[in-house]
Amino acid sequence: MSSLYARSKEFTRNRKSQSDSPPASPSPTAKTLRHERLSRLESGGSNPTSSDSYGDRDRASARARREAREARLASLSSRAEEDTNRDYKKLYESALTENQKLKTKLQEAQLELADIKSKLEKMAQQKQEKTSDRSSMLEMEKRERRALERKMSEMEEEMKVLTELKSDNQRLKDENGALIRVISKLSK
């Protein structure tokens, strides 16, 4: 029993010592491969046996490709700027037309407001002229008020009836659905 305990203790010690150690350094072959890749990348992908003029041509062609790419990007950005300028112009023109429409509507509304004000003034003058008939006006207003109150009470009753009818209608729909389900189950 004690030998088993001693072995398990040694095993845990070994595991701890392995996990505490720093990671292993890469193998020498991995280092040489990495070095070769880096040297190829630095030399621009050319073979070490090629001449310097071939490397110069690669650099010149790379520079030409880079300049062509930059020119393409510049033309694309100028096109994008032109498109945005066109879009802004379209937006400006649409805003102008919309502003003109709104101005005409505003003028029409102002004319209508002036017309309504003049009508109100005329009605106010007519009311002032009829101050002698004030008592008859008060009676008419009272009658109108009573009539409106009656209409309101009738409408409230109709609303109550309508809500009752809606609830009855919903209840009947539910019952109808239940009956249809029962009939369909019976017919199966």
mmCIF file of all heavy atoms in Angstrom, residues 138-178:
data_model
loop_
_atom_site.group_PDB
_atom_site.id
_atom_site.type_symbol
_atom_site.label_atom_id
_atom_site.label_comp_id
_atom_site.label_asym_id
_atom_site.label_seq_id
_atom_site.Cartn_x
_atom_site.Cartn_y
_atom_site.Cartn_z
ATOM 1 N N LEU A 138 -79.615 83.079 -25.998
ATOM 2 C CA LEU A 138 -79.321 82.209 -24.869
ATOM 3 C C LEU A 138 -80.250 81.014 -24.850
ATOM 4 O O LEU A 138 -79.830 79.887 -24.579
ATOM 5 C CB LEU A 138 -79.428 82.991 -23.562
ATOM 6 C CG LEU A 138 -78.310 84.012 -23.287
ATOM 7 C CD1 LEU A 138 -78.634 84.820 -22.030
ATOM 8 C CD2 LEU A 138 -76.988 83.311 -23.142
ATOM 9 N N GLU A 139 -81.526 81.262 -25.151
ATOM 10 C CA GLU A 139 -82.485 80.159 -25.193
ATOM 11 C C GLU A 139 -82.124 79.170 -26.300
ATOM 12 O O GLU A 139 -82.218 77.943 -26.110
ATOM 13 C CB GLU A 139 -83.894 80.702 -25.395
ATOM 14 C CG GLU A 139 -84.464 81.399 -24.178
ATOM 15 C CD GLU A 139 -85.849 81.953 -24.424
ATOM 16 O OE1 GLU A 139 -86.547 81.417 -25.322
ATOM 17 O OE2 GLU A 139 -86.214 82.897 -23.743
ATOM 18 N N MET A 140 -81.710 79.708 -27.437
ATOM 19 C CA MET A 140 -81.317 78.826 -28.550
ATOM 20 C C MET A 140 -80.095 77.987 -28.160
ATOM 21 O O MET A 140 -80.030 76.791 -28.456
ATOM 22 C CB MET A 140 -81.007 79.643 -29.816
ATOM 23 C CG MET A 140 -82.257 80.117 -30.546
ATOM 24 S SD MET A 140 -81.949 81.154 -31.977
ATOM 25 C CE MET A 140 -80.742 80.287 -32.892
ATOM 26 N N GLU A 141 -79.149 78.619 -27.512
ATOM 27 C CA GLU A 141 -77.960 77.889 -27.077
ATOM 28 C C GLU A 141 -78.316 76.800 -26.076
ATOM 29 O O GLU A 141 -77.785 75.681 -26.140
ATOM 30 C CB GLU A 141 -76.942 78.854 -26.465
ATOM 31 C CG GLU A 141 -76.220 79.701 -27.489
ATOM 32 C CD GLU A 141 -75.237 80.664 -26.847
ATOM 33 O OE1 GLU A 141 -75.030 80.614 -25.614
ATOM 34 O OE2 GLU A 141 -74.662 81.475 -27.588
ATOM 35 N N LYS A 142 -79.249 77.146 -25.171
ATOM 36 C CA LYS A 142 -79.675 76.139 -24.197
ATOM 37 C C LYS A 142 -80.333 74.963 -24.903
ATOM 38 O O LYS A 142 -80.097 73.804 -24.563
ATOM 39 C CB LYS A 142 -80.630 76.757 -23.188
ATOM 40 C CG LYS A 142 -79.951 77.667 -22.181
ATOM 41 C CD LYS A 142 -80.958 78.256 -21.215
ATOM 42 C CE LYS A 142 -80.295 79.218 -20.240
ATOM 43 N NZ LYS A 142 -81.288 79.848 -19.331
ATOM 44 N N ARG A 143 -81.172 75.271 -25.883
ATOM 45 C CA ARG A 143 -81.847 74.201 -26.639
ATOM 46 C C ARG A 143 -80.804 73.323 -27.354
ATOM 47 O O ARG A 143 -80.916 72.090 -27.364
ATOM 48 C CB ARG A 143 -82.816 74.796 -27.653
ATOM 49 C CG ARG A 143 -84.057 75.359 -27.043
ATOM 50 C CD ARG A 143 -85.002 75.872 -28.111
ATOM 51 N NE ARG A 143 -85.939 76.821 -27.531
ATOM 52 C CZ ARG A 143 -86.415 77.879 -28.142
ATOM 53 N NH1 ARG A 143 -86.041 78.153 -29.386
ATOM 54 N NH2 ARG A 143 -87.268 78.680 -27.542
ATOM 55 N N GLU A 144 -79.874 74.001 -28.003
ATOM 56 C CA GLU A 144 -78.835 73.249 -28.720
ATOM 57 C C GLU A 144 -78.035 72.373 -27.753
ATOM 58 O O GLU A 144 -77.716 71.224 -28.063
ATOM 59 C CB GLU A 144 -77.893 74.210 -29.452
ATOM 60 C CG GLU A 144 -78.508 74.863 -30.667
ATOM 61 C CD GLU A 144 -77.566 75.868 -31.321
ATOM 62 O OE1 GLU A 144 -76.406 76.007 -30.860
ATOM 63 O OE2 GLU A 144 -77.993 76.508 -32.277
ATOM 64 N N ARG A 145 -77.722 72.922 -26.594
ATOM 65 C CA ARG A 145 -76.969 72.178 -25.600
ATOM 66 C C ARG A 145 -77.758 70.955 -25.145
ATOM 67 O O ARG A 145 -77.209 69.850 -25.031
ATOM 68 C CB ARG A 145 -76.641 73.067 -24.402
ATOM 69 C CG ARG A 145 -75.710 72.398 -23.414
ATOM 70 C CD ARG A 145 -75.310 73.310 -22.278
ATOM 71 N NE ARG A 145 -74.508 74.413 -22.784
ATOM 72 C CZ ARG A 145 -74.501 75.641 -22.255
ATOM 73 N NH1 ARG A 145 -75.262 75.915 -21.223
ATOM 74 N NH2 ARG A 145 -73.735 76.581 -22.763
ATOM 75 N N ARG A 146 -79.035 71.132 -24.893
ATOM 76 C CA ARG A 146 -79.883 69.998 -24.487
ATOM 77 C C ARG A 146 -79.928 68.944 -25.583
ATOM 78 O O ARG A 146 -79.865 67.737 -25.311
ATOM 79 C CB ARG A 146 -81.297 70.481 -24.161
ATOM 80 C CG ARG A 146 -81.416 71.224 -22.858
ATOM 81 C CD ARG A 146 -82.856 71.597 -22.573
ATOM 82 N NE ARG A 146 -82.923 72.727 -21.655
ATOM 83 C CZ ARG A 146 -83.724 73.752 -21.765
ATOM 84 N NH1 ARG A 146 -84.603 73.818 -22.753
ATOM 85 N NH2 ARG A 146 -83.716 74.722 -20.876
ATOM 86 N N ALA A 147 -80.111 69.433 -26.823
ATOM 87 C CA ALA A 147 -80.173 68.487 -27.940
ATOM 88 C C ALA A 147 -78.858 67.701 -28.037
ATOM 89 O O ALA A 147 -78.864 66.483 -28.251
ATOM 90 C CB ALA A 147 -80.445 69.229 -29.234
ATOM 91 N N LEU A 148 -77.748 68.402 -27.870
ATOM 92 C CA LEU A 148 -76.440 67.719 -27.926
ATOM 93 C C LEU A 148 -76.293 66.727 -26.784
ATOM 94 O O LEU A 148 -75.759 65.620 -26.969
ATOM 95 C CB LEU A 148 -75.308 68.739 -27.883
ATOM 96 C CG LEU A 148 -75.084 69.552 -29.165
ATOM 97 C CD1 LEU A 148 -74.040 70.630 -28.925
ATOM 98 C CD2 LEU A 148 -74.635 68.649 -30.301
ATOM 99 N N GLU A 149 -76.758 67.110 -25.594
ATOM 100 C CA GLU A 149 -76.673 66.191 -24.459
ATOM 101 C C GLU A 149 -77.513 64.947 -24.702
ATOM 102 O O GLU A 149 -77.099 63.831 -24.379
ATOM 103 C CB GLU A 149 -77.113 66.899 -23.173
ATOM 104 C CG GLU A 149 -76.104 67.912 -22.669
ATOM 105 C CD GLU A 149 -76.612 68.719 -21.483
ATOM 106 O OE1 GLU A 149 -77.804 68.558 -21.097
ATOM 107 O OE2 GLU A 149 -75.828 69.516 -20.948
ATOM 108 N N ARG A 150 -78.679 65.141 -25.277
ATOM 109 C CA ARG A 150 -79.536 63.978 -25.610
ATOM 110 C C ARG A 150 -78.827 63.068 -26.614
ATOM 111 O O ARG A 150 -78.843 61.838 -26.473
ATOM 112 C CB ARG A 150 -80.871 64.455 -26.197
ATOM 113 C CG ARG A 150 -81.853 64.925 -25.176
ATOM 114 C CD ARG A 150 -83.220 65.210 -25.799
ATOM 115 N NE ARG A 150 -83.819 66.332 -25.110
ATOM 116 C CZ ARG A 150 -84.256 67.451 -25.670
ATOM 117 N NH1 ARG A 150 -84.185 67.613 -26.971
ATOM 118 N NH2 ARG A 150 -84.777 68.418 -24.948
ATOM 119 N N LYS A 151 -78.257 63.690 -27.659
ATOM 120 C CA LYS A 151 -77.557 62.894 -28.661
ATOM 121 C C LYS A 151 -76.393 62.126 -28.036
ATOM 122 O O LYS A 151 -76.160 60.955 -28.363
ATOM 123 C CB LYS A 151 -77.025 63.796 -29.781
ATOM 124 C CG LYS A 151 -78.082 64.243 -30.745
ATOM 125 C CD LYS A 151 -77.475 65.055 -31.863
ATOM 126 C CE LYS A 151 -78.535 65.565 -32.819
ATOM 127 N NZ LYS A 151 -77.957 66.380 -33.899
ATOM 128 N N MET A 152 -75.686 62.792 -27.113
ATOM 129 C CA MET A 152 -74.566 62.117 -26.462
ATOM 130 C C MET A 152 -75.038 60.930 -25.634
ATOM 131 O O MET A 152 -74.433 59.853 -25.672
ATOM 132 C CB MET A 152 -73.798 63.096 -25.562
ATOM 133 C CG MET A 152 -72.867 64.011 -26.327
ATOM 134 S SD MET A 152 -71.939 65.134 -25.281
ATOM 135 C CE MET A 152 -71.117 64.026 -24.180
ATOM 136 N N SER A 153 -76.127 61.103 -24.896
ATOM 137 C CA SER A 153 -76.627 59.991 -24.085
ATOM 138 C C SER A 153 -77.100 58.845 -24.975
ATOM 139 O O SER A 153 -76.870 57.675 -24.676
ATOM 140 C CB SER A 153 -77.746 60.463 -23.150
ATOM 141 O OG SER A 153 -78.851 60.924 -23.899
ATOM 142 N N GLU A 154 -77.755 59.203 -26.101
ATOM 143 C CA GLU A 154 -78.197 58.155 -27.038
ATOM 144 C C GLU A 154 -76.992 57.411 -27.616
ATOM 145 O O GLU A 154 -77.010 56.179 -27.742
ATOM 146 C CB GLU A 154 -79.021 58.773 -28.163
ATOM 147 C CG GLU A 154 -80.397 59.254 -27.729
ATOM 148 C CD GLU A 154 -81.121 60.009 -28.832
ATOM 149 O OE1 GLU A 154 -80.562 60.124 -29.961
ATOM 150 O OE2 GLU A 154 -82.239 60.484 -28.574
ATOM 151 N N MET A 155 -75.961 58.163 -27.946
ATOM 152 C CA MET A 155 -74.765 57.523 -28.513
ATOM 153 C C MET A 155 -74.080 56.637 -27.477
ATOM 154 O O MET A 155 -73.588 55.559 -27.826
ATOM 155 C CB MET A 155 -73.780 58.584 -29.015
ATOM 156 C CG MET A 155 -74.201 59.259 -30.285
ATOM 157 S SD MET A 155 -72.940 60.432 -30.776
ATOM 158 C CE MET A 155 -73.386 60.687 -32.464
ATOM 159 N N GLU A 156 -74.050 57.065 -26.231
ATOM 160 C CA GLU A 156 -73.456 56.234 -25.188
ATOM 161 C C GLU A 156 -74.218 54.927 -25.041
ATOM 162 O O GLU A 156 -73.621 53.854 -24.901
ATOM 163 C CB GLU A 156 -73.437 56.991 -23.860
ATOM 164 C CG GLU A 156 -72.410 58.096 -23.798
ATOM 165 C CD GLU A 156 -72.494 58.909 -22.519
ATOM 166 O OE1 GLU A 156 -73.425 58.686 -21.715
ATOM 167 O OE2 GLU A 156 -71.627 59.784 -22.332
ATOM 168 N N GLU A 157 -75.551 55.015 -25.099
ATOM 169 C CA GLU A 157 -76.352 53.790 -25.022
ATOM 170 C C GLU A 157 -76.079 52.893 -26.224
ATOM 171 O O GLU A 157 -75.980 51.665 -26.083
ATOM 172 C CB GLU A 157 -77.838 54.154 -24.944
ATOM 173 C CG GLU A 157 -78.246 54.773 -23.619
ATOM 174 C CD GLU A 157 -79.709 55.198 -23.592
ATOM 175 O OE1 GLU A 157 -80.497 54.674 -24.410
ATOM 176 O OE2 GLU A 157 -80.044 56.031 -22.756
ATOM 177 N N GLU A 158 -75.981 53.506 -27.395
ATOM 178 C CA GLU A 158 -75.687 52.716 -28.591
ATOM 179 C C GLU A 158 -74.321 52.048 -28.470
ATOM 180 O O GLU A 158 -74.141 50.899 -28.893
ATOM 181 C CB GLU A 158 -75.725 53.605 -29.835
ATOM 182 C CG GLU A 158 -77.128 54.004 -30.243
ATOM 183 C CD GLU A 158 -77.133 54.916 -31.459
ATOM 184 O OE1 GLU A 158 -76.053 55.163 -32.052
ATOM 185 O OE2 GLU A 158 -78.222 55.390 -31.814
ATOM 186 N N MET A 159 -73.350 52.760 -27.881
ATOM 187 C CA MET A 159 -72.025 52.174 -27.688
ATOM 188 C C MET A 159 -72.094 50.976 -26.747
ATOM 189 O O MET A 159 -71.438 49.951 -26.985
ATOM 190 C CB MET A 159 -71.057 53.223 -27.124
ATOM 191 C CG MET A 159 -70.647 54.307 -28.113
ATOM 192 S SD MET A 159 -69.677 53.667 -29.468
ATOM 193 C CE MET A 159 -68.177 53.263 -28.604
ATOM 194 N N LYS A 160 -72.883 51.108 -25.684
ATOM 195 C CA LYS A 160 -73.035 49.979 -24.767
ATOM 196 C C LYS A 160 -73.627 48.786 -25.493
ATOM 197 O O LYS A 160 -73.185 47.644 -25.335
ATOM 198 C CB LYS A 160 -73.923 50.377 -23.590
ATOM 199 C CG LYS A 160 -73.265 51.323 -22.618
ATOM 200 C CD LYS A 160 -74.213 51.703 -21.509
ATOM 201 C CE LYS A 160 -73.608 52.752 -20.585
ATOM 202 N NZ LYS A 160 -74.561 53.188 -19.546
ATOM 203 N N VAL A 161 -74.690 49.064 -26.290
ATOM 204 C CA VAL A 161 -75.332 47.988 -27.045
ATOM 205 C C VAL A 161 -74.329 47.373 -28.014
ATOM 206 O O VAL A 161 -74.269 46.142 -28.174
ATOM 207 C CB VAL A 161 -76.587 48.525 -27.780
ATOM 208 C CG1 VAL A 161 -77.125 47.504 -28.749
ATOM 209 C CG2 VAL A 161 -77.657 48.937 -26.779
ATOM 210 N N LEU A 162 -73.536 48.219 -28.659
ATOM 211 C CA LEU A 162 -72.544 47.710 -29.615
ATOM 212 C C LEU A 162 -71.527 46.811 -28.920
ATOM 213 O O LEU A 162 -71.185 45.738 -29.445
ATOM 214 C CB LEU A 162 -71.816 48.873 -30.289
ATOM 215 C CG LEU A 162 -72.480 49.435 -31.539
ATOM 216 C CD1 LEU A 162 -71.735 50.669 -32.014
ATOM 217 C CD2 LEU A 162 -72.498 48.411 -32.647
ATOM 218 N N THR A 163 -71.051 47.215 -27.757
ATOM 219 C CA THR A 163 -70.073 46.370 -27.063
ATOM 220 C C THR A 163 -70.699 45.045 -26.645
ATOM 221 O O THR A 163 -70.057 43.986 -26.728
ATOM 222 C CB THR A 163 -69.503 47.098 -25.829
ATOM 223 O OG1 THR A 163 -70.577 47.506 -24.986
ATOM 224 C CG2 THR A 163 -68.672 48.302 -26.232
ATOM 225 N N GLU A 164 -71.962 45.107 -26.216
ATOM 226 C CA GLU A 164 -72.642 43.859 -25.859
ATOM 227 C C GLU A 164 -72.792 42.965 -27.076
ATOM 228 O O GLU A 164 -72.581 41.742 -27.009
ATOM 229 C CB GLU A 164 -74.008 44.163 -25.253
ATOM 230 C CG GLU A 164 -73.956 44.775 -23.872
ATOM 231 C CD GLU A 164 -75.338 45.188 -23.366
ATOM 232 O OE1 GLU A 164 -76.337 44.918 -24.061
ATOM 233 O OE2 GLU A 164 -75.399 45.780 -22.285
ATOM 234 N N LEU A 165 -73.153 43.581 -28.218
ATOM 235 C CA LEU A 165 -73.305 42.792 -29.440
ATOM 236 C C LEU A 165 -71.964 42.196 -29.867
ATOM 237 O O LEU A 165 -71.903 41.039 -30.324
ATOM 238 C CB LEU A 165 -73.873 43.661 -30.562
ATOM 239 C CG LEU A 165 -75.362 44.027 -30.433
ATOM 240 C CD1 LEU A 165 -75.751 44.989 -31.542
ATOM 241 C CD2 LEU A 165 -76.227 42.776 -30.498
ATOM 242 N N LYS A 166 -70.888 42.958 -29.713
ATOM 243 C CA LYS A 166 -69.580 42.430 -30.084
ATOM 244 C C LYS A 166 -69.204 41.238 -29.203
ATOM 245 O O LYS A 166 -68.692 40.234 -29.693
ATOM 246 C CB LYS A 166 -68.514 43.518 -29.958
ATOM 247 C CG LYS A 166 -68.529 44.504 -31.094
ATOM 248 C CD LYS A 166 -67.408 45.529 -30.941
ATOM 249 C CE LYS A 166 -67.445 46.534 -32.073
ATOM 250 N NZ LYS A 166 -66.386 47.551 -31.932
ATOM 251 N N SER A 167 -69.458 41.372 -27.911
ATOM 252 C CA SER A 167 -69.121 40.259 -27.024
ATOM 253 C C SER A 167 -69.983 39.038 -27.340
ATOM 254 O O SER A 167 -69.499 37.906 -27.331
ATOM 255 C CB SER A 167 -69.261 40.674 -25.559
ATOM 256 O OG SER A 167 -70.618 40.980 -25.277
ATOM 257 N N ASP A 168 -71.294 39.264 -27.628
ATOM 258 C CA ASP A 168 -72.159 38.152 -28.010
ATOM 259 C C ASP A 168 -71.671 37.514 -29.308
ATOM 260 O O ASP A 168 -71.652 36.281 -29.443
ATOM 261 C CB ASP A 168 -73.605 38.638 -28.192
ATOM 262 C CG ASP A 168 -74.277 38.950 -26.864
ATOM 263 O OD1 ASP A 168 -73.742 38.511 -25.818
ATOM 264 O OD2 ASP A 168 -75.328 39.627 -26.878
ATOM 265 N N ASN A 169 -71.274 38.355 -30.246
ATOM 266 C CA ASN A 169 -70.795 37.857 -31.532
ATOM 267 C C ASN A 169 -69.535 37.006 -31.326
ATOM 268 O O ASN A 169 -69.410 35.921 -31.903
ATOM 269 C CB ASN A 169 -70.493 39.043 -32.459
ATOM 270 C CG ASN A 169 -70.269 38.598 -33.883
ATOM 271 O OD1 ASN A 169 -70.511 37.450 -34.228
ATOM 272 N ND2 ASN A 169 -69.814 39.512 -34.713
ATOM 273 N N GLN A 170 -68.625 37.462 -30.491
ATOM 274 C CA GLN A 170 -67.402 36.705 -30.224
ATOM 275 C C GLN A 170 -67.729 35.384 -29.537
ATOM 276 O O GLN A 170 -67.166 34.343 -29.868
ATOM 277 C CB GLN A 170 -66.438 37.537 -29.364
ATOM 278 C CG GLN A 170 -65.105 36.878 -29.134
ATOM 279 C CD GLN A 170 -64.342 36.656 -30.428
ATOM 280 O OE1 GLN A 170 -64.361 37.497 -31.318
ATOM 281 N NE2 GLN A 170 -63.697 35.514 -30.546
ATOM 282 N N ARG A 171 -68.646 35.425 -28.596
ATOM 283 C CA ARG A 171 -69.034 34.213 -27.895
ATOM 284 C C ARG A 171 -69.632 33.209 -28.879
ATOM 285 O O ARG A 171 -69.307 32.014 -28.858
ATOM 286 C CB ARG A 171 -70.055 34.548 -26.801
ATOM 287 C CG ARG A 171 -70.489 33.354 -25.970
ATOM 288 C CD ARG A 171 -71.517 33.744 -24.911
ATOM 289 N NE ARG A 171 -72.642 34.503 -25.413
ATOM 290 C CZ ARG A 171 -73.725 33.995 -26.003
ATOM 291 N NH1 ARG A 171 -73.821 32.691 -26.180
ATOM 292 N NH2 ARG A 171 -74.697 34.761 -26.428
ATOM 293 N N LEU A 172 -70.495 33.709 -29.787
ATOM 294 C CA LEU A 172 -71.105 32.823 -30.781
ATOM 295 C C LEU A 172 -70.051 32.248 -31.735
ATOM 296 O O LEU A 172 -70.131 31.082 -32.140
ATOM 297 C CB LEU A 172 -72.188 33.569 -31.549
ATOM 298 C CG LEU A 172 -73.458 33.888 -30.743
ATOM 299 C CD1 LEU A 172 -74.377 34.784 -31.556
ATOM 300 C CD2 LEU A 172 -74.181 32.617 -30.336
ATOM 301 N N LYS A 173 -69.074 33.067 -32.087
ATOM 302 C CA LYS A 173 -68.005 32.554 -32.956
ATOM 303 C C LYS A 173 -67.240 31.440 -32.251
ATOM 304 O O LYS A 173 -66.919 30.419 -32.867
ATOM 305 C CB LYS A 173 -67.036 33.681 -33.321
ATOM 306 C CG LYS A 173 -67.529 34.599 -34.398
ATOM 307 C CD LYS A 173 -66.474 35.653 -34.710
ATOM 308 C CE LYS A 173 -66.945 36.614 -35.760
ATOM 309 N NZ LYS A 173 -65.945 37.662 -36.043
ATOM 310 N N ASP A 174 -66.946 31.651 -30.977
ATOM 311 C CA ASP A 174 -66.229 30.623 -30.224
ATOM 312 C C ASP A 174 -67.044 29.333 -30.144
ATOM 313 O O ASP A 174 -66.519 28.227 -30.324
ATOM 314 C CB ASP A 174 -65.901 31.124 -28.812
ATOM 315 C CG ASP A 174 -64.898 32.269 -28.836
ATOM 316 O OD1 ASP A 174 -64.191 32.419 -29.858
ATOM 317 O OD2 ASP A 174 -64.842 33.010 -27.824
ATOM 318 N N GLU A 175 -68.350 29.479 -29.873
ATOM 319 C CA GLU A 175 -69.206 28.297 -29.795
ATOM 320 C C GLU A 175 -69.281 27.593 -31.143
ATOM 321 O O GLU A 175 -69.263 26.360 -31.228
ATOM 322 C CB GLU A 175 -70.608 28.700 -29.334
ATOM 323 C CG GLU A 175 -70.690 29.086 -27.869
ATOM 324 C CD GLU A 175 -72.087 29.537 -27.463
ATOM 325 O OE1 GLU A 175 -73.016 29.453 -28.302
ATOM 326 O OE2 GLU A 175 -72.246 29.976 -26.319
ATOM 327 N N ASN A 176 -69.376 28.390 -32.213
ATOM 328 C CA ASN A 176 -69.433 27.830 -33.557
ATOM 329 C C ASN A 176 -68.163 27.038 -33.852
ATOM 330 O O ASN A 176 -68.210 25.923 -34.386
ATOM 331 C CB ASN A 176 -69.614 28.962 -34.576
ATOM 332 C CG ASN A 176 -69.939 28.437 -35.952
ATOM 333 O OD1 ASN A 176 -70.243 27.259 -36.120
ATOM 334 N ND2 ASN A 176 -69.875 29.298 -36.952
ATOM 335 N N GLY A 177 -67.010 27.593 -33.473
ATOM 336 C CA GLY A 177 -65.758 26.880 -33.694
ATOM 337 C C GLY A 177 -65.715 25.586 -32.913
ATOM 338 O O GLY A 177 -65.248 24.556 -33.402
ATOM 339 N N ALA A 178 -66.194 25.629 -31.671
ATOM 340 C CA ALA A 178 -66.200 24.418 -30.855
ATOM 341 C C ALA A 178 -67.120 23.367 -31.475
ATOM 342 O O ALA A 178 -66.784 22.175 -31.523
ATOM 343 C CB ALA A 178 -66.649 24.749 -29.436
#
